[in-house]
Amino acid sequence: MTIPGYDSSTVAEYTLERVGARVDLVAGVVPDAFGLRKSGREPPVDALADPIDLVACEGLKAVEAVRIALVYDPSKLPAGASPTDVAITVETETGWKPLESTVDLEETTVTAVLNDRPPGSTVVAGYDDTEEERAE
C-alpha cells in the first residue's frame, strides 16, 4: 500500500511485520539508517499496541509525505469506546499527541498521513477520546 497521489517508484517502504508497523515515505533524503524497531519506551496508558521507534527520523529531509500504519488490538479499547476512536499517537517533548488518523475496522489498522516528518520519533496506536473531551 503506497501513499495516494504519489508514484510508487518514488515511495520508500519500511515494515516491521512482527508488530504490524509500516511507514511509507516520499522525501528528498532518507538516511540509510532509517527504519523501524520495537521501542523500549513506556507506552501511554491508552496504548492499543506496543510503541514503535522511527530510527533516524530526524535525518529525513525535503519530506513530501509520510504514511504511518499500525495494527492495534481493539480488545484494549475502554468499555463503551467507539471502535473508530483510535489514532496514531506520537511522543513529543510535551507528551503523547494524537495525529489525524483513519481507522480500518476490518484490518484493525490505524493510519496517519503527514506532509512533514512526525513531531517525534516514537509512535503508537492509541485510544483517542479528544473528540469527546471537546464535546463536553
Side-chain angles (χ1 to χ4, degrees), residues 93-122:
E93 291 178 5
T94 59
W96 291 91
K97 175 185 174 195
L99 303 175
E100 187 172 329
S101 303
T102 304
V103 177
D104 182 328
L105 297 173
E106 190 171 307
E107 298 292 325
T108 61
T109 58
V110 60
T111 304
V113 178
L114 310 168
N115 293 89
D116 202 349
R117 70 175 170 241
S121 61
T122 302

Side-chain angles (χ1 to χ4, degrees), residues 33 66-67 69 84 90 98 101 112 118 127 129 132:
V66 177
R67 180 182 174 276
T84 58
V90 63
S101 303
Y127 171 59
D129 63 352
E132 288 177 16

Side-chain angles (χ1 to χ4, degrees), residues 9-22:
S9 67
T10 64
V11 178
E13 302 173 359
Y14 301 86
T15 59
L16 189 57
E17 288 186 28
R18 63 189 162 108
V19 294
R22 179 182 175 120

